[in-house]
Amino acid sequence: MAKRKPWWIELPVMAAVGLAIALLIKTCLFQVFSIPSGSMENTLKVGDRVAVDKLSPLFGWEPAAGDKIVFRDPGGWLPPEPERGAFAKGLSFVGLLPPAGDEYLVKRVIATGGQTIACAGTTLTVDGHPVAEPYLHPGDDSCAGLDFGPVTVPAGYVWVEGDHRSDSADSRYHRDGPAGGAVPVADVVGPVRAVVWPLF
């Protein structure tokens, strides 16, 4: 029987293997993001940690209406991020927080490239058809007092809105941007697959 190595040798080896596995998961499989605001309530709550699938986009997945997605700030949607401490930087390195300096948002896809979206009164339509939205925050309706459209989403882009429609600065509020409020699919990290924290 081979002699077991001392703990002071085994411990760093196990830590290195664990770090390598965490980096592999972060790079190729899943990444954890924290929900910073109430814009997706009650589907996702402030402080929830969500696992985002980074593998599916490598195999042809594309955002579809109804998907919850995480995407990089396409420009000017978020205020500057405060400086992180050493602990937060470490969590970012292994994928338990988003990368420092890269600002991310989570919203729901409402329409995709080539579709035309509009909202009037309390009714949201895509290509002229009303959209049922059972996920909306209690007390909200689809327009939440902001009529707009019709807007045609450019090819290669998605139109995103928060489930807490009255508390979400989403595509509707960035219609003066380069793509009329739409988000480039190239900026999408992946779909939200699960809430990993809290457990219950």
Side-chain angles (χ1 to χ4, degrees):
M1 179 182 293
K3 185 178 179 181
R4 185 171 179 174
K5 293 181 173 60
W7 68 268
W8 61 84
I9 295 176
E10 285 190 344
L11 189 60
V13 170
M14 288 188 295
V17 170
L19 180 60
I21 292 172
L23 290 173
L24 175 65
I25 292 172
K26 170 191 170 183
T27 303
C28 302
L29 301 177
F30 290 93
Q31 188 168 350
V32 176
F33 291 83
S34 178
I35 305 300
S37 75
S39 69
M40 283 293 290
E41 290 178 339
N42 282 335
T43 306
L44 301 171
K45 298 179 174 63
V46 176
D48 282 355
R49 301 295 197 273
V50 296
V52 174
D53 176 2
K54 298 178 69 175
L55 184 63
S56 292
L58 300 178
F59 289 91
W61 171 88
E62 292 187 358
D67 287 346
K68 300 181 295 293
I69 61 169
V70 166
F71 57 95
R72 285 180 289 277
D73 184 348
W77 286 37
L78 290 172
E81 183 183 21
E83 179 66 24
R84 290 182 174 182
F87 182 68
K89 288 178 180 177
L91 292 178
S92 172
F93 180 70
V94 297
L96 296 178
L97 283 177
D102 287 330
E103 297 177 327
Y104 294 83
L105 301 97
V106 57
K107 305 290 181 190
R108 189 181 295 273
V109 177
I110 305 299
T112 58
Q115 293 185 310
T116 298
I117 184 170
C119 216
T122 61
T123 303
L124 176 73
T125 61
V126 174
D127 291 338
H129 302 290
V131 178
E133 298 194 282
Y135 42 75
L136 288 178
H137 187 276
D140 273 3
D141 60 60
S142 292
C143 301
L146 180 62
D147 292 2
F148 68 88
V151 176
T152 299
V153 182
Y157 287 75
V158 290
W159 184 273
V160 297
E161 299 185 12
D163 290 357
H164 195 172
R165 206 57 51 85
S166 61
D167 189 29
S168 178
D170 44 43
S171 289
R172 300 169 298 156
Y173 290 89
H174 298 278
R175 286 172 288 148
D176 57 349
V183 173
V185 171
D187 287 346
V188 176
V189 178
V192 174
R193 294 301 191 196
V195 176
V196 296
W197 189 265
L199 298 177
F200 303 103

